[in-house]
Amino acid sequence: PHSHVVFLKTHKAGGSSLVNVLSRYGESRRLRFALPQRYQFGYPAPFRAERVRGFRPGGPKFDLLCHHMRFYLPEVQRVMPNDSFYFSIVRDPGTLGESAFRYFRAAAPAFRASPSLDAFLASPGRFFRPGARGNHYARNLQWFDFGLPEPAAPGEIPGILEELERVFPLVLLAERFDEGLVLLRRRLCWPSDSVDLFPHNSRGRAPQASPEQRRRLRAWNALDWALYSHFNRSFWRQARRFGLEELQREAAELRRRRERLAKECLRGGGPVPAQAIPEGSLRPFQPPGGDGILGFALRDGLGEQQRRRCGRMALPELPYTDLLRRLQFGNGTE
């Protein structure tokens, strides 16, 4: 099994659920996490080794790196062993852009100045100013998170993405999340139950982008569309090598286990609004002025071992990060 893993958590693509998987795996095996001082590694500035708590030049390296950063390989290599497995996840910018508009409305000046997504897409240049703090959320967010050069001439893009694929041999698709979990588990040689999860950071009554909005979002986020298209192709190449029938079978089994666990663990059998969660530590972070992010409330009457397992699966990213920090650096009693 791989115990040295780097996950680049891109925004609004299902990364919080994967961080929960990695957190539980690493905690259960007492692996050493590269943790930020708070919750991100100086984002949106490029990653620097000195932002990792406990990092010492020439000191021991870490096992797992999975919190938000803007990727910068030379600095990551100062923190992580040479045999680390790198993976990430991407999402069609036609749907990611709609989600980012709602989630980062308060953080991105371009979104904040626009009365609606349609108004923004009708004339993005009216609202978008390159370089304005927070506007990286408003255009080519995934390209930015991967630390890729912008602007990039069209002729340079294929070479940039081929080089990126050499660093990240597996990039999952948000739209094929469960199939991606199967491929990831097989690449990491982890047991099948290690990728059991509840989907974190989902939105209640999330509106869907219209076909015209998706078309405009892909055009506005042309670099993200090139990135997504490249890794869509690489994902399905790997899926065919794995065997599409077997991939679907294992993904279906994963969903069945998730349904059983949700019935066993969760009040109501699924996600609920934050205000319906009695335990403060299980309430997910809510972005300023954004949509309501759902979380999980545990069923009453769970046994101690059951409650611990279910509680870890339901624990949102920020309190889980706090817990890992306590366990790794002291004052952790769990």
Side-chain angles (χ1 to χ4, degrees):
H2 282 271
S3 57
H4 300 149
V5 178
V6 175
F7 170 53
L8 175 62
K9 186 191 179 209
T10 55
H11 285 84
K12 310 308 297 169
S16 293
S17 303
L18 290 163
V19 170
N20 182 269
V21 165
L22 296 168
S23 298
R24 286 185 284 118
Y25 185 88
E27 182 196 355
S28 68
R29 287 155 178 81
R30 300 186 179 182
L31 301 180
R32 195 161 174 254
F33 287 83
L35 293 170
Q37 297 294 340
R38 297 202 72 244
Y39 303 116
Q40 300 183 349
F41 294 106
Y43 187 91
F47 179 85
R48 281 182 32 234
E50 282 75 16
R51 292 192 178 274
V52 175
R53 182 165 180 177
F55 169 76
R56 297 191 316 279
K61 295 194 174 182
F62 296 83
D63 299 311
L64 289 167
L65 172 60
C66 58
H67 290 80
H68 266 313
M69 62 172 155
R70 188 179 184 201
F71 189 71
Y72 183 50
L73 180 61
E75 288 291 304
V76 170
Q77 289 173 324
R78 294 178 64 202
V79 168
M80 297 298 295
N82 291 338
D83 65 349
S84 296
F85 181 81
Y86 289 68
F87 80 101
S88 187
I89 186 167
V90 293
R91 180 179 175 186
D92 181 344
T95 59
L96 184 146
E98 182 276 331
S99 181
F101 182 85
R102 298 180 190 284
Y103 193 89
F104 296 117
R105 192 77 181 270
F111 289 160
R112 198 164 57 241
S114 176
S116 68
L117 179 59
D118 280 330
F120 178 80
L121 292 175
S123 183
R126 280 181 57 204
F127 307 104
F128 183 82
R129 297 291 176 270
R133 182 173 178 80
N135 267 354
H136 66 281
Y137 293 121
R139 190 175 200 188
N140 295 316
L141 176 55
Q142 296 175 105
W143 189 273
F144 182 90
D145 286 349
F146 274 96
L148 299 175
E150 191 175 0
E156 298 172 342
I157 292 173
I160 290 171
L161 294 175
E162 285 168 16
E163 180 60 32
L164 188 64
E165 191 177 342
R166 282 192 277 275
V167 177
F168 289 90
L170 179 63
V171 175
L172 312 185
L173 303 179
E175 296 80 5
R176 290 291 180 266
F177 192 79
D178 293 334
E179 291 85 348
L181 287 174
V182 172
L183 293 178
L184 176 66
R185 183 190 75 76
R186 184 67 65 91
R187 291 294 292 266
L188 295 177
C189 300
W190 287 5
S192 58
D193 63 356
S194 64
V195 293
D196 288 338
L197 57 79
F198 299 141
H200 284 257
N201 273 16
S202 61
R203 289 186 291 164
R205 300 183 304 277
Q208 302 295 313
S210 69
E212 178 61 16
Q213 285 175 330
R214 289 197 295 271
R215 185 189 69 77
R216 288 175 180 256
L217 282 164
R218 289 167 182 159
W220 171 245
N221 297 283
L223 293 175
D224 269 10
W225 181 238
L227 176 77
Y228 177 81
S229 300
H230 179 93
F231 283 113
N232 186 299
R233 291 189 293 270
S234 76
F235 179 89
W236 288 111
R237 279 198 301 273
Q238 296 187 56
R240 285 190 291 273
R241 283 201 297 271
F242 184 93
L244 293 176
E245 247 183 72
E246 176 64 11
L247 186 62
Q248 293 301 331
R249 189 193 66 76
E250 288 201 29
E253 176 56 31
L254 187 65
R255 285 189 285 274
R256 284 192 289 271
R257 284 204 311 271
R258 183 180 305 146
E259 288 171 13
R260 286 199 300 270
L261 284 164
K263 288 176 185 170
E264 173 192 325
C265 293
L266 303 178
R267 189 181 301 173
V272 295
Q275 60 269 26
I277 302 173
E279 289 185 56
S281 66
L282 294 183
R283 290 184 202 129
F285 171 76
Q286 303 293 322
D291 289 352
I293 302 300
L294 304 180
F296 305 101
L298 299 184
R299 283 183 54 225
D300 296 327
L302 296 174
E304 185 180 344
Q305 192 171 357
Q306 221 180 4
R307 185 171 183 82
R308 180 185 173 88
R309 183 189 183 199
C310 296
R312 289 297 197 267
M313 291 182 71
L315 193 60
E317 182 178 342
L318 303 191
Y320 212 145
T321 303
D322 291 335
L323 171 62
L324 294 173
R325 195 180 292 116
R326 291 196 302 273
L327 293 172
Q328 195 160 305
F329 296 102
N331 301 320
T333 57
E334 299 189 48

